[in-house]
Amino acid sequence: AKDSVASQILSPVAMLASALSLVTPSLVTPAPGRVAPMQRSADVSMAAKDSVTAGQVAGMAAAVLAVGVQSASAGPFTRTDIASLTYQQIKGTGLANTCPVVEQVDGMKTEIKVGGNYKIDEFCLEPTSFQVLEEKLTKSGVVTEAVDTKVTTRQTYVLTGMEGDLVQKDGKLTFLEKDGIDYAPTTVQLPGGERVPFLFTVKNLVAQSDGATSSISPGLKMSGGFNVPSYRTGLFLDPKGRGTTTGYDQAVALPALQAGGDESLFKENNKKFDVGRGSIELKVTSVNAELGEFGGVFVQKQPSDTDLGSKVPKELLLKGQFFGTVVPN
């Protein structure tokens, strides 16, 4: 009788173990058609980027499309590679948060002649390094050093789809940014735990070449400035219900200060929409004249959020890669 009772108790356990043995492989096996996450270097310098040969690009694309999830790493991709992928293959891989690379072809022309009415299209900026400039007291005095940070927001910080006129002013190539996804709210965290929110942007960028030229080729350098709008908008309310265009004029929890004496809280009460200025330097390292593609590396400096005027902004230093195409306007 005891053996029969034990067998009745153990039978459900044996059935559960058998069911788990059938389900477990499907849990660890990657879903078909998924692309492995992108692997990008965190250190970018103003040096020439290693080129990817056409054979490597074709091999990676074939591995993604034919083998699918079996590849350990995928990318970087060209525009042709990305256009051949489906939504399901891109979903969850981080590929949407990257910029394409210039397609490498043997014997291709590496100089884009710019004359007449042209514009830069599909301009993309992908930062791979986020640093905060902080002043540090040393024996030799106060020095400014770049402190490495960690991104705490989701992978939505790449600026893409930007466009603008490419004209010549005083003999120099000039890019006038007009439209596109040209801002991305981002937050980074310092080693001590402090979080620094900022609006990664190149709004109204005006970038000029460092010398007189009428073409885009490897080695070309461009630099310029842009506007940095406030991280917060007019309808934002702080924890005390204060805002710029709506909300209270002061902290409601402090009624005694309504008759005066709130000078210490003036910045917190007097909300304002700050617009700062930033600068960027771009260096072209790769060009495909047949496709009108060019890419390279960039270094950008801009202020952080001021919390609607109540905080002193920090300076951020961003480094990464860029991509763009030159098309008739």
Side-chain angles (χ1 to χ4, degrees):
K2 293 182 179 180
D3 294 340
S4 63
V5 172
S7 63
Q8 293 177 0
I9 295 175
L10 292 176
S11 58
V13 177
M15 293 174 62
L16 180 60
S18 176
L20 287 175
S21 66
L22 295 175
V23 174
T24 303
S26 64
L27 294 178
V28 298
T29 303
R34 186 182 177 97
V35 183
M38 296 287 293
Q39 301 293 330
R40 291 284 182 137
S41 172
D43 298 324
V44 176
S45 61
M46 295 299 287
K49 185 182 173 183
D50 294 337
S51 61
V52 181
T53 64
Q56 292 172 331
V57 173
M60 288 185 292
V64 172
L65 297 178
V67 182
V69 299
Q70 305 303 327
S71 57
S73 62
F77 286 107
T78 64
R79 285 194 304 164
T80 305
D81 297 331
I82 295 176
S84 65
L85 298 176
T86 64
Y87 170 77
Q88 290 298 331
Q89 288 175 319
I90 297 176
K91 180 182 177 182
T93 65
L95 180 60
N97 193 52
T98 61
C99 292
V101 295
V102 176
E103 188 167 342
Q104 301 294 320
V105 181
D106 293 336
M108 66 181 185
K109 296 180 179 179
T110 59
E111 184 179 16
I112 301 176
K113 294 290 186 180
V114 180
N117 194 11
Y118 281 86
K119 71 173 183 178
I120 291 181
D121 196 15
E122 300 184 44
F123 188 61
C124 178
L125 289 175
E126 178 191 349
T128 56
S129 172
F130 300 83
Q131 294 176 313
V132 174
L133 301 179
E134 291 192 332
E135 293 185 348
K136 184 178 180 181
L137 182 62
T138 62
K139 293 182 179 179
S140 58
V142 179
V143 297
T144 302
E145 65 175 8
V147 181
D148 293 331
T149 63
K150 179 181 66 175
V151 181
T152 60
T153 51
R154 295 186 178 183
Q155 293 186 350
T156 55
Y157 49 78
V158 165
L159 308 183
T160 184
M162 295 178 287
E163 63 179 32
D165 295 334
L166 184 61
V167 299
Q168 280 192 321
K169 288 186 177 181
D170 301 327
K172 298 181 178 181
L173 279 181
T174 305
F175 172 48
L176 308 172
E177 191 270 337
K178 288 186 175 181
D179 198 5
I181 304 176
D182 53 7
Y183 68 95
T186 312
T187 301
V188 294
Q189 182 171 307
L190 291 167
E194 180 185 0
R195 294 190 174 183
V196 181
F198 67 99
L199 191 72
F200 175 44
T201 180
V202 288
K203 274 190 173 296
N204 307 123
L205 169 66
V206 178
Q208 278 193 325
S209 60
D210 57 352
T213 181
S214 60
S215 62
I216 297 177
S217 58
L220 175 67
K221 294 181 180 180
M222 301 183 72
S223 60
F226 54 88
N227 292 329
V228 183
S230 173
Y231 181 84
R232 305 291 189 187
T233 59
L235 297 180
F236 173 77
L237 298 178
D238 69 2
K240 298 293 185 181
R242 296 168 295 192
T244 54
T245 59
T246 184
Y248 297 103
D249 293 332
Q250 57 186 1
V252 181
L254 302 174
L257 297 179
Q258 293 182 5
D262 61 345
E263 291 79 9
S264 60
L265 299 176
F266 177 77
K267 290 185 177 180
E268 286 76 8
N269 291 336
N270 185 34
K271 304 293 184 182
K272 59 181 181 178
F273 189 91
D274 286 325
V275 178
R277 291 289 295 175
S279 61
I280 188 171
E281 294 182 4
L282 305 104
K283 180 180 180 180
V284 177
T285 60
S286 183
V287 175
N288 187 326
E290 284 79 5
L291 300 178
E293 299 177 348
F294 68 99
V297 292
F298 75 91
V299 176
Q300 176 172 325
K301 184 179 179 182
Q302 69 166 83
S304 67
D305 173 42
T306 63
D307 198 13
L308 293 177
S310 63
K311 296 180 180 178
V312 178
K314 296 180 179 292
E315 289 291 333
L316 288 110
L317 186 67
L318 292 85
K319 303 175 185 178
Q321 305 165 77
F322 74 89
F323 173 86
T325 61
V326 178
V327 297
N329 195 356

